[in-house]
Amino acid sequence: MTEQTAHRTPAGTDDAVVALSGVSVRRYTTDQVILDGIDWTVRAGEHWALLGANGAGKTTLLRLLGALMHPTAGTVEVLGARLGRVDVRELRARIGHVTSAQRVPQDLDAHTVVLTGHTGTVQPLWRMYDDEVRQRAHELLAELDIKELADRPYGVCSGGQRARILIARALMADPALLLLDEPFNALDLPSREDLVEAMHRLAEGRPRLSTVTVTHHLEELSPAVSHALLLREGRILSHGPVEEVLTGPSLTACFGRPVQVSRHEGRWWAYSARTHA
């Protein structure tokens, strides 16, 4: 299949937030190739979906973007800094990273969880939170439409509420890049739709923010998602504008079984076509 390389960028957003060139990752202990020859650019204001079967390399690719690891070969530039030539601790502070596996003390209220995003810590550092910082945390909860959760313990919040709390936490650093690693994992239908709506509003309200979302289901993509990248066995199968990438033939090649794709009012869904003997 011909790889899609076209990009449509919003007017005035030609600057690269992420630029990968010839990137490969190899596991030294087994000599297994995890990623192979990745060339990819994410520009300001673009919202990418990252899809592929389990083991395709999605998590490894996201870890590179989050400056959590270095490539075996090639170059990775994030927010204008090249991995290997920058203090990754400072770079990580400028990147928002959301994962359901994030350690969060269950007894902390939602406002405090968001506050910890200011210091990048698990436990709050109260001396670091002045009135302006505290107010910003409240504003982010309101932006994610969960301001009523400010005093609610994180541990009793629903999965969808937790996901939005963690996004608000990641936004405390005012990042130019937001990485979301399966944020819809284990959400029920109402919680999924609440999060989809929140992501759509976030994109509309922050025109310069770039996002990369790892997901397994097209139904989880908000109408704001502009681009998609399909990974298969560590290689880019297709990438570019969503309408060119999220097609039945592309997803069939990506997942190795017949897939049909539909789109209605900006939302996507896919299902595996029944095969007959």
Side-chain angles (χ1 to χ4, degrees), residues 1 49-58 214-219 221 228-233 235 237-238 245-261 269-273:
M1 179 175 297
L50 180 55
L51 298 104
N54 289 335
K58 302 185 300 297
V214 172
T215 181
H216 288 288
H217 306 288
L218 268 60
E219 293 81 2
L221 302 181
L229 184 150
L230 304 182
L231 272 181
R232 181 177 173 86
E233 297 178 351
R235 296 182 178 181
L237 183 66
S238 179
V245 175
L246 299 184
T247 66
S250 292
L251 290 170
T252 294
C254 183
F255 291 100
R257 64 180 300 164
V259 176
Q260 294 189 16
V261 178
W269 65 93
Y271 63 94
S272 183

Side-chain angles (χ1 to χ4, degrees), residues 144-195:
L144 273 296
D145 199 27
I146 47 172
K147 63 181 181 180
E148 73 280 1
L149 301 180
D151 299 322
R152 185 177 301 179
Y154 181 83
V156 301
C157 292
S158 70
Q161 291 168 340
R162 291 186 185 192
R164 284 185 282 167
I165 291 168
L166 292 179
I167 291 171
R169 179 185 185 277
L171 292 172
M172 279 296 289
D174 196 22
L177 175 64
L178 181 62
L179 308 175
L180 301 111
D181 190 1
E182 298 188 40
F184 298 89
N185 187 34
L187 298 189
D188 60 19
L189 179 61
S191 295
R192 183 192 75 185
E193 291 304 297
D194 287 343
L195 185 53

